[in-house]
Amino acid sequence: MSRALTLGTRLGHALARAEHSPRAQRVLLHPVITRPGYWFATASGALWGAALSKRTLKSRGGVLVATPLPKWAFGRGGTTIGAVFLTGGNASDAVLEHEAVHREQWRKYGLWFIPLYLLAGQNPLTNRFEVEAGLELGGYMRAKSSRAPKASTKN
């Protein structure tokens, strides 16, 4: 394993442990620490999205949406970087509601969000950040039917 990867893994694990310490949270998650990372991520996402979409970003559902982008420019159906949602066209109201939660996660964690998200795992069904954003809204699960089960006709 490369030295940089080992350091990144150690840093990520330390951050994950710090999340359970109120003292560490007050320091590491203080807006003075996290907000510049959020701004940097938003600027980077906006630059990436604007360059690839060849269009201006549109504010929708609390995020800046960059679309259409080539499939290689984002993960899964879309990726939120800071306050910018990069996608090929997957921008329904439900998906934007899901991505707005990711925007808030970026605001809370700043650049710490990257290692924390990666440590949470690639399976969206078990990734705590995806679960918090809403698996159904993000299109990872079908919405449960709101119809009541049929009543039995037996006497």
Side-chain angles (χ1 to χ4, degrees):
M1 193 181 292
S2 77
R3 192 172 184 178
L5 187 56
T6 301
L7 179 61
T9 302
R10 286 184 184 169
L11 175 62
H13 286 292
L15 286 169
R17 284 191 305 275
E19 252 198 314
H20 301 289
S21 164
R23 185 179 205 169
Q25 280 187 17
R26 280 193 304 274
V27 174
L28 294 174
L29 299 181
H30 192 282
V32 169
I33 302 294
T34 60
R35 208 54 52 87
Y38 167 72
W39 294 329
F40 177 77
T42 298
S44 299
L47 183 63
W48 180 255
L52 293 175
S53 70
K54 298 180 184 170
R55 297 183 181 175
T56 58
L57 304 175
K58 294 179 183 171
S59 181
R60 286 191 52 217
V63 295
L64 296 172
V65 180
T67 190
L69 272 65
K71 289 183 181 184
W72 55 263
F74 55 89
R76 296 186 184 132
T79 301
T80 296
I81 307 293
V84 181
F85 178 49
L86 308 166
T87 185
N90 184 20
S92 69
D93 289 344
V95 168
L96 293 177
E97 187 177 337
H98 174 91
E99 299 306 327
V101 175
H102 288 317
R103 181 206 62 224
E104 288 305 313
Q105 292 165 341
W106 273 99
R107 280 177 54 93
K108 178 179 180 178
Y109 296 106
L111 293 177
W112 301 129
F113 185 60
I114 297 167
L116 289 171
Y117 186 94
L118 293 173
L119 284 171
Q122 293 301 306
N123 181 351
L125 302 179
T126 58
N127 180 304
R128 69 188 186 95
F129 297 105
E130 294 297 343
V131 171
E132 181 183 335
L135 295 173
E136 290 175 1
L137 292 171
Y140 295 112
M141 298 176 67
R142 289 183 182 239
K144 293 178 181 148
S145 175
S146 60
R147 289 190 271 169
K150 290 184 180 182
S152 174
T153 56
K154 285 186 174 181
N155 289 345

